[in-house]
Amino acid sequence: MYKYDQYDQAIVDARVEEFRDQVQRRLAGEISEDQFKPLRLMNGLYLQLHAYMLRVAIPYGTLDSRQMRMLAHIARKYDKDYGHFTTRQNLQYNWIKLEDAADILADLASVEMHAIQTSGNCIRNISSDQFAGAAADEVTDPRPWAELLRQWSTFHPEFSYLPRKFKIAVIAAEEDRAAVKLHDIGLQIHRNDAGELGFRVFVGGGMGRTPMVAPVIREFLPTADFVSYMEACLRVYNRYGRRDNIYKARIKILVHEIGAEEYARQVEEEWAHVKTLGLDPPAGEFERIAAHFAPPAFEGGLSDDLDRTDPDFALWLDQNVKAHKQPGYAIVNISLKPVSGIPGDASSAQIDLMADLAERYSFDELRVTHAQNIVLPHVKKADLYTIWQQLEANGLATPNLDLISDIIACPGLDYCSLANARSIPVAQKIADRFAGLDRQRDLGELKLKISGCINACGHHHAGHIGILGVDRKGTENYQLLLGGSGAEDASLGRITGPGFDEDGVVDAIERTVEKYRELRTEGERFLDTYRRVGMDPFKEAIYG
Amino acid sequence: MVEFLRFRDDVPHEEPAVTLDAFLGQTNATAVRLESDEDARKLLPQLGQLALIEIAFPKFRDGRGYSAARILREAGYEGELRAAGDVLVDQIPLMRRCGFDSFVPEAAIDPAALERALGRYDDVYQKAADGRSPVWALRHG
Ligand code: HEM
Ligand code: SF4
């Protein structure tokens, strides 16, 4: 894991004092709320319906037990004893007082954490593959590149007042676990024919009210040109992205309006100039960062055998534990989606427990996933049973990874001032309806995603089944979408037809999945069946 | 409170700035004002004759001027580069990094707050137009 040196620490410490100063000027009335807003947003402080929300950056979703415990401590001391893990691998506190914000940032800085650029129209926290460093299918660990981007983008003088927020994700595997094609810039590290590593550059994806899957603008970007090329991509956007209409300001609209080829041409032209400025750090800097991500000291010669006699343990193994590249090790997924729970929420006690498990059993590392779950990336198979027992005792062993109850949901009307409808109760009703694990497992991989309004924080466009809350003549109404995907086969869901009330949408989902069971062929996931047969049979089943 | 800030030692330029269109249409102006949607690169062929370029910030959220400033500095412009309009204390450090060296904020600025803001960070992560060495250079110096 990356560790700060004196420079990183000094910058984060200075940020705390800067924010303290900004808050004091606001509280003293020296600056208006309008002027304060972009400053607090660049520190992850949002005003929600009932209180301030603070979003803490978890760069590329990686953290250690000390950092995880600090998150629990802050939840206990300054919030209501819980935190919410988000689709951007961050953590949010929902009940923060403005007066406490600088102290919280100081606590975070003491464990090499911050809330820098977790909102605002700047380059946001960089996200990545939650299985980085553990997955068998990666060509390299993508996180050193993500860290390089984190440093480059931190307080970038030219790109702090972009037309709109800017989200970048980096992966290094064929399987896309980070939804790169739905980011402003998605980067996929791969090898060219000469065996060198480089980036496939996707630009102009995103969700929101105009969802788009990003086109490729560069098939192979050599690693030595990485930073200067990003600089060129952002400069073209900063200069030409629309600023007349907030709904058209994301880079996806620019790329769509001028075309991916023209955007790529402008970037190449800008880059030809930018490349001469010496903005790319030397290879030695990348190597310094990469050394922090060296594989942990795995034990060799461990057995892959497991005692599966406890049926509940076996169920969890099959659903939540994934293959590790190192023999004798496994990747553990901790579901934050218990039946009747709030997707992504964890109590301080649970956060502490996960920290303890990571420290003892996973080389002190944890990951946050964009599906709002937690990962212990490097666990010895021999320890799995003990870990499972402890998770089980703390409500953290729900064996539902990637099943219909592993729902992504935005905060919705329970917290969010932009919401049209509640998301959390709908997620809970769906999880209740499909609580039977046999039924869920029979339905197989089914990614269900809920947003409380068109902003799509809950990724509904990318759900195999998506739900969108809308306001219909003053009452909460839910539209159903089918056929989206945020993975390597990225696609956008289509709306089935007229919307439903809260119970109606749960019924409609039930009819949809029953239709799928009727139509599926051997081994077909819901998404595959939908793609094969199209919308009509489902429409008929739903609206009859 | 201050209404004009200048980080240069030379004598302030007195000639009023003309619009980009006027500048491109006449050959002898030495000061020009760019609106936020105007292309700074149009000035490049005649940079040598300019002593003052003023870049407008109609709203502090409109960040195009940061790119314009860097483009001018990257092209070798050494004259006065002024940010005018909705320019706030907390933006001036970033603007300085992009090459601005004078400021005419719409609302006067508290010099004490500005001094704190400008002195806040000893080091920076990226190269820009101010010649500061980024931490990656210091680490491998
Ligand atoms: C106070 C609460 C929140 C507000 C006001 C808010 C606001 C927004 C807005 C306005 C957009 C649309 C941006 C655009 O299309 O340009 C958006 C998108 C998004 N938000 Fe949120 N959000 C909130 C909470 C969250 C939370 C809790 C998460 C994570 C669980 C989240 C993750 C996202 C994601 C992933 C997107 C889609 C990115 C994209 O458009 O490409 N947001 N949010
Ligand atoms: S999707 Fe809408 S309701 Fe949900 S968090 Fe985002 S802005 Fe709020």
Side-chain angles (χ1 to χ4, degrees):
Chain A
M1 249 188 74
Y2 188 70
K3 296 273 178 247
Y4 285 5
D5 68 2
Q6 85 257 26
Y7 297 109
D8 300 309
Q9 189 66 52
I11 287 172
V12 166
D13 289 344
R15 176 51 146 194
V16 175
E17 290 320 308
E18 179 173 45
F19 191 61
R20 202 180 287 285
D21 187 55
Q22 290 166 346
V23 170
Q24 269 155 11
R25 278 187 282 143
R26 174 69 196 120
L27 292 174
E30 286 170 33
I31 46 177
S32 67
E33 173 55 23
D34 193 44
Q35 292 171 341
F36 180 57
K37 191 174 164 191
L39 303 177
R40 66 168 163 77
L41 284 182
M42 276 183 217
N43 265 299
L45 201 63
Y46 268 92
L47 197 53
Q48 296 197 129
L49 273 182
H50 313 291
Y52 278 106
M53 173 268 267
L54 178 70
R55 188 180 285 158
V56 176
I58 302 177
Y60 31 91
T62 293
L63 71 176
D64 64 18
S65 61
R66 190 175 62 122
Q67 295 172 322
M68 191 77 164
R69 286 194 192 100
M70 181 55 81
L71 296 178
H73 166 78
I74 291 170
R76 238 179 240 120
K77 182 162 174 197
Y78 301 102
D79 203 284
K80 298 190 177 178
D81 209 24
Y82 69 96
H84 177 74
F85 290 96
T86 78
T87 48
R88 299 213 70 257
Q89 302 179 295
N90 292 327
L91 178 118
Q92 290 180 183
Y93 296 110
N94 284 312
W95 307 96
I96 293 300
K97 292 193 205 63
L98 183 56
E99 295 82 336
D100 289 336
D103 290 337
I104 298 174
L105 295 184
D107 282 353
L108 289 169
S110 73
V111 294
E112 303 177 19
M113 293 183 90
H114 59 74
I116 295 166
Q117 289 169 210
T118 54
S119 49
N121 293 333
C122 50
I123 302 170
R124 302 287 190 89
N125 185 36
I126 315 292
S127 58
S128 186
D129 185 343
Q130 69 268 20
F131 294 166
D137 64 343
E138 73 183 12
V139 295
T140 186
D141 190 330
R143 293 173 300 162
W145 298 105
E147 174 60 26
L148 197 70
L149 282 182
R150 182 189 76 82
Q151 297 190 21
W152 164 74
S153 61
T154 297
F155 310 138
H156 196 294
E158 188 176 337
F159 306 134
S160 290
Y161 293 88
L162 294 168
R164 202 74 179 85
K165 57 179 161 183
F166 206 90
K167 304 181 180 181
I168 305 179
V170 195
I171 60 170
E174 277 308 312
E175 191 181 332
D176 179 2
R177 289 171 284 260
V180 291
K181 293 179 200 168
L182 293 164
H183 282 74
D184 296 285
I185 293 186
L187 297 160
Q188 183 181 30
I189 303 171
H190 65 122
R191 279 187 203 285
N192 66 6
D193 293 340
E196 298 151 336
L197 291 176
F199 298 88
R200 185 174 287 128
V201 183
F202 298 89
V203 180
M207 291 187 250
R209 67 185 63 210
T210 323
M212 287 186 192
V213 175
V216 174
I217 65 147
R218 180 90 183 245
E219 191 50 42
F220 190 84
L221 173 71
T223 53
D225 299 330
F226 185 43
V227 165
S228 53
Y229 194 82
M230 291 297 107
E231 189 102 9
C233 287
L234 267 295
R235 178 174 285 180
V236 171
Y237 170 55
N238 192 42
R239 300 188 74 208
Y240 299 112
R242 288 181 60 173
R243 291 176 188 264
D244 58 327
N245 178 339
I246 173 174
Y247 300 119
K248 299 196 162 144
R250 296 286 292 270
I251 195 174
K252 63 192 170 189
I253 304 292
L254 173 67
V255 172
H256 183 73
E257 283 180 353
I258 67 176
E261 256 174 62
E262 173 58 17
Y263 173 76
R265 190 195 64 74
Q266 293 186 17
V267 169
E268 294 293 331
E269 193 175 291
E270 188 67 48
W271 179 66
H273 157 68
V274 166
K275 182 64 193 169
T276 63
L277 303 172
L279 305 182
D280 289 293
E285 173 62 0
F286 173 75
E287 284 152 21
R288 184 192 72 86
I289 293 173
H292 288 284
F293 295 92
F298 294 120
E299 276 175 50
L302 294 180
S303 158
D304 277 318
D305 291 345
L306 278 166
D307 179 356
R308 299 172 53 94
T309 43
D310 184 332
D312 289 339
F313 172 61
L315 209 59
W316 176 80
L317 268 184
D318 292 341
Q319 203 61 49
N320 287 28
V321 177
K322 300 287 168 194
H324 196 284
K325 64 181 173 191
Q326 180 73 16
Y329 285 81
I331 302 172
V332 167
N333 290 276
I334 302 175
S335 168
L336 299 182
K337 318 292 174 64
V339 173
S340 309
I342 295 176
D345 275 13
S347 67
S348 308
Q350 288 177 325
I351 295 173
D352 274 338
L353 176 91
M354 293 187 277
D356 292 346
L357 292 175
E359 186 172 25
R360 276 194 73 176
Y361 301 112
S362 184
F363 293 97
D364 207 23
E365 253 195 57
L366 301 121
R367 310 288 173 77
V368 183
T369 84
H370 88 269
Q372 304 182 277
N373 292 316
I374 301 294
V375 167
L376 302 176
H378 310 298
V379 168
K380 255 191 241 173
K381 285 190 174 161
D383 293 329
L384 283 171
Y385 191 66
T386 314
I387 291 173
W388 173 74
Q389 285 177 309
Q390 295 192 46
L391 290 173
E392 179 75 5
N394 289 278
L396 289 168
T398 313
N400 62 348
L401 191 80
D402 294 339
L403 300 180
I404 192 168
S405 63
D406 182 9
I407 297 169
I408 291 181
C410 81
L413 199 52
D414 290 295
Y415 295 101
C416 175
S417 52
L418 305 178
N420 286 322
R422 285 169 300 167
S423 310
I424 293 166
V426 180
Q428 289 167 329
K429 279 196 173 156
I430 295 166
D432 284 342
R433 179 75 63 94
F434 293 91
L437 207 59
D438 290 344
R439 188 173 184 199
Q440 291 192 45
R441 288 174 60 86
D442 172 64
L443 294 173
E445 182 186 300
L446 218 167
K447 302 199 175 181
L448 202 146
K449 312 190 183 196
I450 309 174
S451 305
C453 82
I454 193 72
N455 287 323
C457 303
H459 291 193
H460 66 274
H461 300 293
H464 298 179
I465 297 180
I467 298 174
L468 165 63
V470 293
D471 177 271
R472 202 162 145 269
K473 301 196 188 104
T475 58
E476 295 169 54
N477 191 266
Y478 297 91
Q479 291 183 341
L480 190 63
L481 294 88
L482 303 180
S485 167
E488 58 282 3
D489 60 353
S491 59
L492 302 170
R494 279 180 51 211
I495 295 175
T496 55
F500 311 87
D501 64 15
E502 200 172 287
D503 291 312
V505 78
V506 184
D507 293 337
I509 288 170
E510 189 153 34
R511 289 194 286 272
T512 302
V513 300
E514 285 310 318
K515 191 70 194 173
Y516 152 67
R517 290 185 63 232
E518 189 187 312
L519 294 173
R520 70 182 166 188
T521 60
E522 188 63 30
E524 229 178 24
R525 300 173 304 165
F526 169 79
L527 183 63
D528 305 324
T529 303
Y530 171 84
R531 285 177 175 168
R532 179 170 56 79
V533 305
M535 178 67 94
D536 288 347
F538 293 103
K539 231 173 166 156
E540 212 182 288
I542 296 167
Y543 299 101
Chain B
M1 302 300 272
V2 288
E3 288 169 353
F4 179 50
L5 288 150
R6 196 160 184 278
F7 296 81
R8 296 179 67 91
D9 297 331
D10 56 357
V11 183
H13 194 73
E14 294 299 339
E15 196 187 319
V18 301
T19 65
L20 177 65
D21 281 346
F23 176 77
L24 296 175
Q26 76 184 59
T27 50
N28 57 353
T30 56
V32 64
R33 174 180 162 97
L34 277 184
E35 299 308 322
S36 67
D37 60 351
E38 287 174 337
D39 182 1
R41 289 211 161 97
K42 292 212 168 115
L43 295 176
L44 299 195
Q46 285 155 271
L47 265 193
Q49 80 189 60
L50 282 164
L52 170 67
I53 302 175
E54 177 173 298
I55 297 180
F57 284 83
K59 288 196 236 87
F60 66 83
R61 287 190 188 82
D62 184 344
R64 285 175 282 196
Y66 295 86
S67 288
R70 276 189 75 180
I71 285 168
L72 294 168
R73 291 299 188 206
E74 286 161 8
Y77 176 65
E78 288 179 356
E80 181 168 342
L81 191 51
R82 179 180 294 171
D86 197 3
V87 172
L88 308 174
V89 170
D90 296 279
Q91 297 179 311
I92 290 178
L94 298 174
M95 290 178 167
R96 293 283 293 131
R97 297 218 61 212
C98 289
F100 286 104
D101 53 14
S102 77
F103 302 89
V104 185
E106 239 157 51
I109 279 179
D110 171 8
L114 179 63
E115 200 182 310
R116 287 198 301 277
L118 284 172
R120 183 86 59 195
Y121 294 96
D122 290 337
D123 290 302
V124 294
Y125 275 126
Q126 54 298 94
K127 239 173 132 168
D130 56 352
R132 287 170 83 177
S133 288
V135 292
W136 54 256
L138 303 176
R139 280 169 178 149
H140 300 276

